[in-house]
mmCIF file of all heavy atoms in Angstrom:
data_model
loop_
_atom_site.group_PDB
_atom_site.id
_atom_site.type_symbol
_atom_site.label_atom_id
_atom_site.label_comp_id
_atom_site.label_asym_id
_atom_site.label_seq_id
_atom_site.Cartn_x
_atom_site.Cartn_y
_atom_site.Cartn_z
ATOM 1 N N PRO A 544 14.038 -42.901 13.287
ATOM 2 C CA PRO A 544 12.653 -43.254 13.266
ATOM 3 C C PRO A 544 11.991 -43.271 11.865
ATOM 4 O O PRO A 544 12.327 -42.341 11.078
ATOM 5 C CB PRO A 544 12.116 -42.117 14.184
ATOM 6 C CG PRO A 544 13.170 -41.553 14.925
ATOM 7 C CD PRO A 544 14.415 -41.756 14.044
ATOM 8 N N ARG A 545 11.138 -44.158 11.625
ATOM 9 C CA ARG A 545 10.403 -44.306 10.333
ATOM 10 C C ARG A 545 9.684 -42.985 10.014
ATOM 11 O O ARG A 545 9.786 -42.547 8.925
ATOM 12 C CB ARG A 545 9.446 -45.432 10.415
ATOM 13 C CG ARG A 545 8.759 -45.739 9.028
ATOM 14 C CD ARG A 545 7.791 -46.901 9.114
ATOM 15 N NE ARG A 545 8.464 -48.059 9.558
ATOM 16 C CZ ARG A 545 9.115 -48.955 8.681
ATOM 17 N NH1 ARG A 545 9.186 -48.650 7.438
ATOM 18 N NH2 ARG A 545 9.636 -50.030 9.142
ATOM 19 N N ASP A 546 9.035 -42.323 10.980
ATOM 20 C CA ASP A 546 8.237 -41.182 10.603
ATOM 21 C C ASP A 546 9.144 -39.941 10.236
ATOM 22 O O ASP A 546 8.701 -38.997 9.617
ATOM 23 C CB ASP A 546 7.296 -40.756 11.721
ATOM 24 C CG ASP A 546 8.069 -40.467 13.046
ATOM 25 O OD1 ASP A 546 9.316 -40.717 13.059
ATOM 26 O OD2 ASP A 546 7.430 -39.954 13.949
ATOM 27 N N PHE A 547 10.426 -40.026 10.567
ATOM 28 C CA PHE A 547 11.332 -38.979 10.156
ATOM 29 C C PHE A 547 11.879 -39.129 8.771
ATOM 30 O O PHE A 547 12.193 -38.223 8.090
ATOM 31 C CB PHE A 547 12.546 -38.883 11.158
ATOM 32 C CG PHE A 547 13.527 -37.759 10.857
ATOM 33 C CD1 PHE A 547 13.214 -36.505 11.305
ATOM 34 C CD2 PHE A 547 14.647 -37.924 10.155
ATOM 35 C CE1 PHE A 547 14.095 -35.423 11.047
ATOM 36 C CE2 PHE A 547 15.534 -36.931 9.825
ATOM 37 C CZ PHE A 547 15.249 -35.643 10.340
ATOM 38 N N CYS A 548 11.998 -40.439 8.336
ATOM 39 C CA CYS A 548 12.653 -40.734 7.113
ATOM 40 C C CYS A 548 11.749 -41.119 5.897
ATOM 41 O O CYS A 548 12.218 -41.220 4.793
ATOM 42 C CB CYS A 548 13.653 -41.960 7.326
ATOM 43 S SG CYS A 548 14.800 -41.654 8.607
ATOM 44 N N GLU A 549 10.446 -41.310 6.122
ATOM 45 C CA GLU A 549 9.710 -41.989 5.125
ATOM 46 C C GLU A 549 9.507 -41.146 3.889
ATOM 47 O O GLU A 549 9.255 -41.648 2.777
ATOM 48 C CB GLU A 549 8.328 -42.438 5.692
ATOM 49 C CG GLU A 549 7.461 -41.395 6.263
ATOM 50 C CD GLU A 549 6.196 -41.972 6.959
ATOM 51 O OE1 GLU A 549 6.129 -43.195 6.996
ATOM 52 O OE2 GLU A 549 5.421 -41.150 7.456
ATOM 53 N N ASP A 550 9.516 -39.830 4.028
ATOM 54 C CA ASP A 550 9.233 -38.944 2.841
ATOM 55 C C ASP A 550 10.470 -38.332 2.244
ATOM 56 O O ASP A 550 10.328 -37.576 1.277
ATOM 57 C CB ASP A 550 8.248 -37.824 3.242
ATOM 58 C CG ASP A 550 6.861 -38.403 3.618
ATOM 59 O OD1 ASP A 550 6.500 -39.470 2.949
ATOM 60 O OD2 ASP A 550 6.236 -37.939 4.568
ATOM 61 N N HIS A 551 11.653 -38.512 2.851
ATOM 62 C CA HIS A 551 12.753 -37.794 2.282
ATOM 63 C C HIS A 551 14.138 -38.531 2.594
ATOM 64 O O HIS A 551 14.161 -39.315 3.558
ATOM 65 C CB HIS A 551 12.867 -36.309 2.831
ATOM 66 C CG HIS A 551 12.394 -36.206 4.267
ATOM 67 N ND1 HIS A 551 11.172 -35.659 4.596
ATOM 68 C CD2 HIS A 551 12.914 -36.682 5.379
ATOM 69 C CE1 HIS A 551 11.031 -35.714 5.902
ATOM 70 N NE2 HIS A 551 12.046 -36.266 6.375
ATOM 71 N N ARG A 552 15.082 -38.236 1.835
ATOM 72 C CA ARG A 552 16.409 -38.729 2.077
ATOM 73 C C ARG A 552 17.092 -37.797 3.058
ATOM 74 O O ARG A 552 17.202 -36.659 2.787
ATOM 75 C CB ARG A 552 17.134 -38.788 0.778
ATOM 76 C CG ARG A 552 18.513 -39.422 0.811
ATOM 77 C CD ARG A 552 19.129 -39.440 -0.605
ATOM 78 N NE ARG A 552 20.494 -39.908 -0.597
ATOM 79 C CZ ARG A 552 20.867 -41.182 -0.609
ATOM 80 N NH1 ARG A 552 19.881 -42.119 -0.633
ATOM 81 N NH2 ARG A 552 22.135 -41.563 -0.687
ATOM 82 N N PRO A 553 17.515 -38.308 4.211
ATOM 83 C CA PRO A 553 17.899 -37.364 5.326
ATOM 84 C C PRO A 553 18.981 -36.337 5.025
ATOM 85 O O PRO A 553 18.745 -35.237 5.343
ATOM 86 C CB PRO A 553 18.373 -38.407 6.422
ATOM 87 C CG PRO A 553 17.643 -39.616 6.162
ATOM 88 C CD PRO A 553 17.430 -39.680 4.609
ATOM 89 N N LEU A 554 20.029 -36.726 4.401
ATOM 90 C CA LEU A 554 21.113 -35.801 4.205
ATOM 91 C C LEU A 554 20.843 -34.767 3.090
ATOM 92 O O LEU A 554 20.986 -33.591 3.221
ATOM 93 C CB LEU A 554 22.396 -36.537 3.990
ATOM 94 C CG LEU A 554 23.661 -35.667 3.901
ATOM 95 C CD1 LEU A 554 23.855 -34.911 5.251
ATOM 96 C CD2 LEU A 554 24.950 -36.450 3.584
ATOM 97 N N ALA A 555 20.509 -35.302 1.925
ATOM 98 C CA ALA A 555 20.444 -34.440 0.767
ATOM 99 C C ALA A 555 19.392 -33.336 0.960
ATOM 100 O O ALA A 555 19.566 -32.231 0.489
ATOM 101 C CB ALA A 555 20.115 -35.253 -0.465
ATOM 102 N N THR A 556 18.316 -33.632 1.639
ATOM 103 C CA THR A 556 17.205 -32.685 1.787
ATOM 104 C C THR A 556 16.956 -32.347 3.216
ATOM 105 O O THR A 556 15.821 -32.027 3.653
ATOM 106 C CB THR A 556 15.933 -33.201 1.152
ATOM 107 O OG1 THR A 556 15.620 -34.460 1.756
ATOM 108 C CG2 THR A 556 16.106 -33.467 -0.319
ATOM 109 N N LEU A 557 17.993 -32.534 4.085
ATOM 110 C CA LEU A 557 17.729 -32.280 5.498
ATOM 111 C C LEU A 557 17.220 -30.880 5.867
ATOM 112 O O LEU A 557 16.427 -30.726 6.752
ATOM 113 C CB LEU A 557 19.106 -32.577 6.223
ATOM 114 C CG LEU A 557 18.981 -32.866 7.738
ATOM 115 C CD1 LEU A 557 17.961 -33.963 8.027
ATOM 116 C CD2 LEU A 557 20.375 -33.170 8.258
ATOM 117 N N THR A 558 17.697 -29.849 5.166
ATOM 118 C CA THR A 558 17.272 -28.497 5.392
ATOM 119 C C THR A 558 15.773 -28.309 5.033
ATOM 120 O O THR A 558 15.187 -27.313 5.474
ATOM 121 C CB THR A 558 18.147 -27.561 4.651
ATOM 122 O OG1 THR A 558 18.179 -27.812 3.268
ATOM 123 C CG2 THR A 558 19.538 -27.522 5.167
ATOM 124 N N GLU A 559 15.229 -29.251 4.135
ATOM 125 C CA GLU A 559 13.830 -29.054 3.787
ATOM 126 C C GLU A 559 12.892 -29.763 4.715
ATOM 127 O O GLU A 559 11.661 -29.614 4.590
ATOM 128 C CB GLU A 559 13.712 -29.631 2.375
ATOM 129 C CG GLU A 559 14.580 -28.949 1.269
ATOM 130 C CD GLU A 559 14.609 -29.638 -0.085
ATOM 131 O OE1 GLU A 559 13.639 -30.496 -0.264
ATOM 132 O OE2 GLU A 559 15.556 -29.444 -0.812
ATOM 133 N N VAL A 560 13.430 -30.483 5.647
ATOM 134 C CA VAL A 560 12.484 -31.181 6.579
ATOM 135 C C VAL A 560 11.947 -30.124 7.458
ATOM 136 O O VAL A 560 12.531 -29.249 7.942
ATOM 137 C CB VAL A 560 13.302 -32.212 7.545
ATOM 138 C CG1 VAL A 560 12.477 -32.863 8.466
ATOM 139 C CG2 VAL A 560 13.996 -33.200 6.614
ATOM 140 N N PRO A 561 10.552 -30.221 7.716
ATOM 141 C CA PRO A 561 9.934 -29.200 8.593
ATOM 142 C C PRO A 561 10.700 -29.070 9.877
ATOM 143 O O PRO A 561 11.071 -30.068 10.504
ATOM 144 C CB PRO A 561 8.511 -29.761 8.810
ATOM 145 C CG PRO A 561 8.295 -30.612 7.522
ATOM 146 C CD PRO A 561 9.652 -31.232 7.288
ATOM 147 N N ARG A 562 10.706 -27.846 10.419
ATOM 148 C CA ARG A 562 11.410 -27.624 11.723
ATOM 149 C C ARG A 562 10.776 -28.446 12.813
ATOM 150 O O ARG A 562 11.556 -28.983 13.686
ATOM 151 C CB ARG A 562 11.339 -26.142 12.082
ATOM 152 C CG ARG A 562 12.028 -25.886 13.473
ATOM 153 C CD ARG A 562 11.752 -24.465 13.949
ATOM 154 N NE ARG A 562 12.262 -24.216 15.241
ATOM 155 C CZ ARG A 562 11.555 -24.517 16.366
ATOM 156 N NH1 ARG A 562 10.353 -24.952 16.314
ATOM 157 N NH2 ARG A 562 12.101 -24.322 17.593
ATOM 158 N N SER A 563 9.563 -28.679 12.795
ATOM 159 C CA SER A 563 8.838 -29.466 13.880
ATOM 160 C C SER A 563 9.401 -30.912 13.938
ATOM 161 O O SER A 563 9.590 -31.465 14.963
ATOM 162 C CB SER A 563 7.354 -29.490 13.697
ATOM 163 O OG SER A 563 7.076 -29.990 12.441
ATOM 164 N N ASP A 564 9.714 -31.483 12.693
ATOM 165 C CA ASP A 564 10.216 -32.784 12.654
ATOM 166 C C ASP A 564 11.680 -32.797 13.103
ATOM 167 O O ASP A 564 12.111 -33.775 13.836
ATOM 168 C CB ASP A 564 10.116 -33.372 11.279
ATOM 169 C CG ASP A 564 8.748 -33.629 10.819
ATOM 170 O OD1 ASP A 564 7.774 -33.655 11.673
ATOM 171 O OD2 ASP A 564 8.499 -33.826 9.611
ATOM 172 N N ARG A 565 12.465 -31.825 12.666
ATOM 173 C CA ARG A 565 13.864 -31.784 13.052
ATOM 174 C C ARG A 565 13.948 -31.568 14.654
ATOM 175 O O ARG A 565 14.793 -32.261 15.279
ATOM 176 C CB ARG A 565 14.537 -30.633 12.356
ATOM 177 C CG ARG A 565 14.790 -30.958 10.969
ATOM 178 C CD ARG A 565 15.541 -29.836 10.180
ATOM 179 N NE ARG A 565 14.631 -28.734 9.819
ATOM 180 C CZ ARG A 565 14.712 -27.495 10.275
ATOM 181 N NH1 ARG A 565 15.730 -27.142 11.091
ATOM 182 N NH2 ARG A 565 13.914 -26.537 9.837
ATOM 183 N N LEU A 566 13.060 -30.756 15.154
ATOM 184 C CA LEU A 566 13.033 -30.492 16.654
ATOM 185 C C LEU A 566 12.652 -31.738 17.366
ATOM 186 O O LEU A 566 13.237 -32.179 18.410
ATOM 187 C CB LEU A 566 12.063 -29.369 16.966
ATOM 188 C CG LEU A 566 11.942 -29.061 18.447
ATOM 189 C CD1 LEU A 566 13.236 -28.627 19.096
ATOM 190 C CD2 LEU A 566 10.793 -27.975 18.637
ATOM 191 N N LYS A 567 11.736 -32.496 16.813
ATOM 192 C CA LYS A 567 11.240 -33.751 17.496
ATOM 193 C C LYS A 567 12.393 -34.801 17.593
ATOM 194 O O LYS A 567 12.587 -35.400 18.628
ATOM 195 C CB LYS A 567 10.122 -34.350 16.672
ATOM 196 C CG LYS A 567 9.477 -35.660 17.301
ATOM 197 C CD LYS A 567 8.372 -36.153 16.387
ATOM 198 C CE LYS A 567 7.907 -37.467 17.042
ATOM 199 N NZ LYS A 567 6.849 -38.126 16.166
ATOM 200 N N LEU A 568 13.195 -34.840 16.426
ATOM 201 C CA LEU A 568 14.264 -35.790 16.471
ATOM 202 C C LEU A 568 15.329 -35.450 17.499
ATOM 203 O O LEU A 568 15.793 -36.221 18.311
ATOM 204 C CB LEU A 568 14.898 -35.896 15.126
ATOM 205 C CG LEU A 568 16.133 -36.809 15.019
ATOM 206 C CD1 LEU A 568 15.743 -38.257 15.258
ATOM 207 C CD2 LEU A 568 16.758 -36.687 13.601
ATOM 208 N N LEU A 569 15.594 -34.099 17.641
ATOM 209 C CA LEU A 569 16.617 -33.626 18.566
ATOM 210 C C LEU A 569 16.195 -33.919 19.931
ATOM 211 O O LEU A 569 16.922 -34.384 20.859
ATOM 212 C CB LEU A 569 16.897 -32.090 18.332
ATOM 213 C CG LEU A 569 17.793 -31.445 19.295
ATOM 214 C CD1 LEU A 569 19.168 -31.989 19.249
ATOM 215 C CD2 LEU A 569 17.818 -29.902 18.985
ATOM 216 N N LEU A 570 14.926 -33.559 20.303
ATOM 217 C CA LEU A 570 14.438 -33.720 21.670
ATOM 218 C C LEU A 570 14.238 -35.175 22.034
ATOM 219 O O LEU A 570 14.530 -35.524 23.135
ATOM 220 C CB LEU A 570 13.154 -32.949 21.819
ATOM 221 C CG LEU A 570 13.142 -31.392 21.681
ATOM 222 C CD1 LEU A 570 11.844 -30.786 21.912
ATOM 223 C CD2 LEU A 570 14.148 -30.841 22.639
#
Side-chain angles (χ1 to χ4, degrees):
R545 185 181 298 276
D546 59 352
F547 184 82
C548 303
E549 60 187 2
D550 293 325
H551 35 252
R552 186 176 173 84
L554 184 60
T556 59
L557 198 53
T558 54
E559 300 170 20
V560 178
R562 178 186 174 275
S563 58
D564 291 347
R565 289 181 278 118
L566 178 61
K567 181 182 178 184
L568 178 64
L569 177 63
L570 295 182

